[in-house]
Amino acid sequence: MHKFLRLNLQWRVLALAAGAMTLILVLSAHLHQIITRTLIDDVRYSSAVSQTVAIAERTAALNLFADHRALERDIRLVATSQPDFVQIDVYQHAPLGGLVLLATTVPGAPPVPALDGTTGDNALGEMDRSVPGVVTMEVVRGGTRHWVVSVAIGERGATGYVTALVRKNPYSPISRVVQLQHSLVLMGALAACVCCLYLLFEHSFRRPAKAIVDAMAQARGGSFAVRAPVRRPDELGEIARDFNLLMEDLSARDFEREELLRRIEGFNETLRQEVAQATADLRVADEALLQSQQRLGRSERLAAMGQVAATIAHEIGTPLNSISGHVGLLARGLADDAEAQRRVRIINHQLESIVGSVRALLRRTHKAYVPFEPIDVNGVIVELLRLVSPTLDARGIVARAELADFLPPVLASRDGLQQVFLNLVNNSMDAMSAGGQLLIATRRGPNGSTEVVVEDTGPGIPAGASDRVFEPMWTTKATGSGFGLAIVRDIIAACGGQIEYDESLTTGARFRVRLPGGVIHAA
């Protein structure tokens, strides 16, 4: 029920217009009824006055005061022909004064009073119509309003009055018919006006509004190219124009959004490619770091084997020389003993086999000759930091490089220098297991040399042990082999440079490497 009563704007306007017109119709009908009754009353009043005056004039002209029967006939004829006339009385002045009723249309009824200018007005206040020789008054008899019309008669010395009692508001079929016709005309006009309003509203408001609503629905569905038709320069036309301007703005913004999305997609694709390239570079760097660490491990193992081989050669060389000398003496002393000579040959053969094995072991531990080339130290350091950056980040170590510009190249092996710096950086990372800071700085040294400083914020090397830092098989780490810094020293020495441990720091460790440039120094 509530939903049914929810009328749209069109029907609300029509209902309001119909209500206003109905009110106007009712007021108009009521006013028309009043005017119609007033007009009819005026006509009937004028007719009653004229009829009464006619009776008075006929009575005076025919001297009907003397013929009472003819007088009664005349007044009865008038009363019969005029239904509004209730009673007609004719009075004559008596010779001794007063009025005498000569004739009446209703015998036995109360006489209708004769009126003249001296008669006082009654409570209804109807003695306001001035007609020469005629006096009227409104009275109430039997609950009905009547007019009393009195006309004076004067002829040949006989005077008197004709008075008539006329109904004021009788039933009038003409008034009802006129009122009904007037109401029907107004109702037809009301229906025509409502229809015209409906058509006007439908054409001027509903259709343009529906077109705007349909355009809004299409826009809500995502069609920003839709436009509302501008039918006329009114309020709805202004709304349609503003809507079209809004859609143009939205279209421009949608185009900008699509363009931005395309750019973002392009940025994302470029970012994906860069990430893929960075991942590939990182994979290559990881592989290079692994290879460098493997080479470093092999170098440490070879160095250990070389130290062991040198120790063995030193330890067994003197006894073997002594044994070989005594065996030679035995061979010369037992020259005639064939069995002894055979055993001496066996001993010499075994001694030569032992010496050959020791020499072969020493050859395997010696590094092959690697040709030197001009190397950019800064480039080696940058590449190394890129290789170890994931490990530094994982251990919470902040690395900082302070590289001098325009350093001269050094003659060395790239792998050897990378192994030197990798070993120093690995020692720093092992020393800063809980995180810290690592500094690698380069600067120009005297005589065209290059200095490299590797410094960390770890615990450093215990006091008094700095002289043993570069000794083989000496280390402060629980899992170290003790050959790392020894190999570093050997590689630097092969380049003709020097490495030293700086004891001036109270915390941390600092190593300083000096590399000459311009001349190749063989180890």
Side-chain angles (χ1 to χ4, degrees), residues 261-274:
L261 288 177
R262 285 193 294 269
R263 291 182 180 179
I264 292 176
E265 290 178 358
F267 293 157
N268 291 337
E269 182 63 26
T270 302
L271 182 60
R272 283 194 293 269
Q273 294 177 359
E274 292 180 354

Side-chain angles (χ1 to χ4, degrees), residues 310-369:
T311 302
I312 292 175
H314 181 270
E315 294 295 332
I316 68 176
T318 301
L320 286 178
N321 289 331
S322 178
I323 293 173
S324 177
H326 285 287
V327 169
L329 292 174
L330 288 175
R332 286 193 296 270
L334 300 173
D336 297 333
D337 189 345
E339 183 64 20
Q341 291 296 327
R342 185 181 67 80
R343 294 184 182 276
V344 168
R345 286 195 299 272
I346 292 174
I347 292 172
N348 285 329
H349 180 71
Q350 295 299 322
L351 289 175
E352 291 175 357
S353 176
I354 293 173
V355 172
S357 297
V358 172
R359 289 176 178 174
L361 181 61
L362 290 175
R363 283 196 302 271
R364 284 198 298 272
T365 58
H366 286 169
K367 292 184 178 180
Y369 171 73

Side-chain angles (χ1 to χ4, degrees), residues 305-507:
M305 291 176 60
Q307 293 292 335
V308 171
T311 302
I312 292 175
H314 181 270
E315 294 295 332
I316 68 176
T318 301
L320 286 178
N321 289 331
S322 178
I323 293 173
S324 177
H326 285 287
V327 169
L329 292 174
L330 288 175
R332 286 193 296 270
L334 300 173
D336 297 333
D337 189 345
E339 183 64 20
Q341 291 296 327
R342 185 181 67 80
R343 294 184 182 276
V344 168
R345 286 195 299 272
I346 292 174
I347 292 172
N348 285 329
H349 180 71
Q350 295 299 322
L351 289 175
E352 291 175 357
S353 176
I354 293 173
V355 172
S357 297
V358 172
R359 289 176 178 174
L361 181 61
L362 290 175
R363 283 196 302 271
R364 284 198 298 272
T365 58
H366 286 169
K367 292 184 178 180
Y369 171 73
V370 178
F372 288 174
E373 59 181 345
I375 302 298
D376 180 13
V377 177
N378 287 344
V380 175
I381 293 174
V382 171
E383 182 179 358
L384 174 66
L385 290 177
R386 186 169 59 249
L387 291 175
V388 300
S389 59
T391 306
L392 293 173
D393 294 338
R395 298 190 181 186
I397 299 174
V398 179
R400 187 174 81 257
E402 297 179 359
L403 307 179
D405 298 329
F406 307 110
L407 288 178
V410 298
L411 294 174
S413 168
R414 176 176 292 273
D415 290 340
L417 288 183
Q418 190 178 51
Q419 188 173 355
V420 168
F421 300 134
L422 178 60
N423 205 321
L424 295 176
V425 170
N426 281 339
N427 288 341
S428 296
M429 288 192 297
D430 293 339
M432 295 184 293
S433 58
Q437 296 183 359
L438 174 65
L439 170 64
I440 301 179
T442 60
R443 62 172 177 265
R444 184 187 296 269
N447 300 323
S449 64
T450 299
E451 291 188 1
V452 182
V453 175
V454 180
E455 181 180 336
D456 61 58
T457 58
I461 297 175
S466 58
D467 295 338
R468 305 185 60 190
V469 170
F470 300 103
E471 290 184 4
M473 301 183 69
W474 184 90
T475 182
T476 58
K477 297 185 291 185
T479 58
S481 63
F483 288 98
L485 292 177
I487 294 174
V488 167
R489 182 191 59 187
D490 293 343
I491 294 174
I492 296 300
C495 296
Q498 297 177 350
I499 182 172
E500 62 181 15
Y501 174 71
D502 192 347
E503 297 180 306
S504 62
L505 294 180
T506 56
T507 58

Side-chain angles (χ1 to χ4, degrees), residues 215 217-227 247 251:
Q218 296 180 22
R220 188 168 57 251
S223 177
F224 295 113
V226 65
R227 296 294 182 270
M247 294 308 301
S251 299

